[in-house]
Amino acid sequence: MTFNIGLVGCGGMGRRHAHGYIELRKYFDTVSMSAVCDVHPDVASAVAGEIGAATGVTPEIYTDFGDMLSNCDLDGVAIVTSTPMHHRFATQAMEAGLHVISEKPMGLTLKACRQMRDVSVATGKVLAVAENYRRDPMNRLTKALITNGAIGTPYFAIDIGVGSSNGAVMHSTVWRAKKEQAGGMPLDAGVHNADMLLYLMGPVGSVFAETSIFEPNRTLLPMNQVAPGLAAMYDHRKEEGYTTGDEVEQTAVDTAFGVIRFKSGAIGQLVMTDTSHGQALGVSTISGSKGTLYRPQSRSGQSPRIVTNDGNEVTGDALLDLVPEFVLDKTTSTLWDGARRISSYDMDFRLIDSKILAYEYMDMVQAAESGGQPEVGPEEGMEALALAYALFESGVRSEPVNVRDITDGSISSYQDEIDIQMGI
Ligand SMILES: NC(=O)c1ccc[n+]([C@@H]2O[C@H](COP(=O)([O-])OP(=O)(O)OC[C@H]3O[C@@H](n4cnc5c(N)ncnc54)[C@H](O)[C@@H]3O)[C@@H](O)[C@H]2O)c1
């Protein structure tokens, strides 16, 4: 039986989903992508054309999500639109009897996510979140090392993502500059960091953060100047109402410095900004009672590294001795050409990205077919979003917040305005 998926949102990430599907088809013939949808027909058509050229079957093209649902015999949809549409399309699809995989963040606010979760529970349809970082085999290895006590008891995690858009609009996508459409960079990008911290360190109790909008006046510059590594993925997308060189007001928080207390008692530091000039800094470490683990950049293929008290460094295949039970799951192993126990791998970013997306689709399809839950479902998607929003909510209140209060909606000051804009 073939599981038939329709893709909505064919911009930069939508194109990467198409590449993920093309990669998936090299290994599995039980999934098909028979329709794609974008409000811009030429954007949808560019992505459909790439799928057709690579797989021999060109998906049907739609410009209206409802039309795609009514006219196609779909089993599931992949939602890759800009974030404010995630909850609307997800609930519409599940109520029409389809399973869903939604890009991260699961929804734009916790209120939107709670609606999505409730519809998933009521309809029994899978709601998977395409949270990609944790699926990287090197992050699987990192998790196994921590779980196996390779650094002892984790004391603290440092996660610093200090980069610069150099005064430009992030990813040349105007919606990312707008609070009511993206929340802010520490959320849009930081939800990945949040998910990884939760994956590796366990649940969070409270967060204190300071936040700011340091660069409210931004310029729309071409993607090859802003993020050259991803420019090829975005060269077909359309930015309605703006042209290159336009000034754009940044209304979304662009900087957050947070301190986290995990329920285990460990402490975390999460710093996210795209306003640093003259300095880029990426630090991802976890320190424990026996040593410090240096996390490789997700999707780099590089090995984690552990440094112990005596300065001894363990990396590469020597790490595998610390995790004798570590083995990649069957789907990852298939996509990584049969690899079972690896401590690094050598592939370019685009291929790694595609393999991880292929994995995410298989995870959703397997959950749908088995009646189980995907690895990252509504609860995990909401937990990561709540941690990211805890930064903003604490920033608004100038006091620590309990993440549980963000998840259940008791604290929502930063999000209220966004919910009003979304009409929920
Ligand atoms: N997992 C990751 O690493 C990752 C990376 C980038 C983006 N994302 C997520 O993917 C989503 C899309 O981001 P992007 O960078 O591709 O943005 P984008 O602006 O390039 O693409 C969004 C596309 O959605 C289309 N769209 C908007 N409203 C629509 C509607 N009502 N019906 C049909 N199509 C509609 C737009 O025309 C556009 O082509 C966001 O939620 C973002 O957070 C995830």
Side-chain angles (χ1 to χ4, degrees):
M1 205 189 89
T2 302
F3 191 97
N4 203 7
I5 294 177
L7 168 70
V8 61
C10 297
M13 194 62 199
R15 196 166 176 189
R16 287 162 62 186
H17 272 245
H19 293 182
Y21 166 65
I22 290 166
E23 185 65 17
L24 181 156
R25 289 291 303 195
K26 295 180 190 161
Y27 298 89
F28 302 95
D29 60 5
T30 50
V31 178
S32 68
M33 187 172 274
S34 60
V36 298
C37 174
D38 197 287
V39 283
H40 300 294
D42 42 348
V43 167
S45 148
V47 165
E50 271 193 82
I51 293 172
T55 66
V57 182
T58 304
E60 288 176 37
I61 294 164
Y62 289 89
T63 54
D64 181 84
F65 184 63
D67 286 348
M68 180 170 85
L69 296 194
S70 316
N71 294 327
C72 291
D73 189 14
L74 299 174
D75 299 296
V77 291
I79 299 172
V80 196
T81 58
S82 40
T83 311
M85 261 74 66
H86 290 189
H87 71 285
R88 264 207 287 137
F89 287 169
T91 51
Q92 195 179 340
M94 289 186 283
E95 279 164 356
L98 306 185
H99 301 286
V100 168
I101 179 167
S102 171
E103 252 309 327
K104 56 49 53 179
M106 174 178 155
L108 183 51
T109 61
L110 269 303
K111 191 172 187 181
C113 289
R114 288 193 295 274
Q115 289 185 357
M116 295 164 85
R117 177 200 54 196
D118 292 350
V119 174
S120 173
V121 170
T123 59
K125 295 297 160 191
V126 169
L127 174 57
V129 182
E131 176 46 69
N132 39 6
Y133 285 25
R134 62 159 75 189
R135 334 274 185 151
D136 182 332
M138 292 305 99
N139 286 330
R140 303 298 198 195
L141 174 59
T142 299
K143 165 94 171 160
L145 286 163
I146 291 168
T147 306
N148 240 33
I151 57 163
T153 304
Y155 290 160
F156 56 86
I158 301 176
D159 196 347
I160 298 179
V162 166
S164 184
S165 294
N166 279 322
V169 173
M170 188 185 168
H171 274 29
S172 309
T173 42
V174 171
W175 65 265
R176 281 192 168 84
K178 302 297 180 188
K179 175 182 172 181
E180 73 281 7
Q181 291 182 56
M185 176 273 180
L187 184 153
D188 183 57
V191 75
H192 291 300
N193 303 60
D195 183 71
M196 280 305 300
L197 286 171
L198 290 160
Y199 182 57
L200 298 174
M201 301 288 290
V204 168
S206 60
V207 173
F208 177 71
E210 293 287 357
T211 57
S212 196
I213 306 176
F214 282 127
E215 305 207 316
N217 303 312
R218 304 240 177 172
T219 311
L220 185 63
L221 294 180
M223 190 66 171
N224 58 14
Q225 283 178 37
V226 180
L230 287 174
M233 293 298 99
Y234 281 77
D235 61 10
H236 67 301
R237 79 179 285 281
K238 290 239 167 349
E239 188 61 73
E240 218 167 331
Y242 291 86
T243 51
T244 300
D246 278 357
E247 295 297 308
V248 175
E249 188 192 359
Q250 168 97 17
T251 56
V253 163
D254 58 24
T255 301
F257 281 52
V259 177
I260 297 166
R261 177 65 83 173
F262 292 92
K263 286 190 175 161
S264 68
I267 297 173
Q269 183 180 33
L270 178 56
V271 176
M272 298 294 301
T273 184
D274 75 334
T275 65
S276 172
H277 292 264
Q279 171 177 254
L281 187 63
V283 179
S284 289
T285 60
I286 300 175
S287 293
S289 54
K290 282 169 37 182
T292 293
L293 188 146
Y294 291 76
R295 292 170 47 201
Q297 205 173 4
S298 292
R299 299 168 294 174
S300 68
Q302 287 170 6
S303 185
R305 212 158 47 88
I306 289 177
V307 179
T308 50
N309 260 350
D310 49 12
N312 193 29
E313 180 172 307
V314 187
T315 189
D317 283 351
L319 290 171
L320 298 175
D321 296 338
L322 303 175
V323 282
E325 319 257 284
F326 169 70
V327 60
L328 294 173
D329 68 90
K330 209 165 153 227
T331 306
T332 305
S333 177
T334 303
L335 290 163
W336 261 257
D337 296 320
R340 297 186 71 246
R341 278 169 57 77
I342 49 173
S343 60
S344 66
Y345 57 91
D346 187 15
M347 279 177 208
D348 73 25
F349 172 82
R350 297 250 308 256
L351 185 56
I352 300 169
D353 193 50
S354 298
K355 285 186 183 293
I356 291 177
L357 278 154
Y359 179 92
E360 292 174 325
Y361 276 67
M362 290 307 294
D363 184 39
M364 183 265 264
V365 170
Q366 282 158 5
E369 289 179 347
S370 68
Q373 280 295 315
E375 180 192 2
V376 186
E379 297 308 328
E380 294 78 12
M382 286 174 67
E383 211 184 351
L385 190 70
L387 174 51
Y389 263 119
L391 299 170
F392 294 164
E393 299 292 358
S394 172
V396 170
R397 298 164 78 96
S398 289
E399 62 183 27
V401 293
N402 202 314
V403 172
R404 194 187 50 232
D405 293 334
I406 315 288
T407 308
D408 70 17
S410 310
I411 292 179
S412 61
S413 311
Y414 186 86
Q415 298 162 78
D416 289 344
E417 204 184 340
I418 306 175
D419 285 331
I420 290 167
Q421 288 280 338
M422 289 197 293
I424 61 172

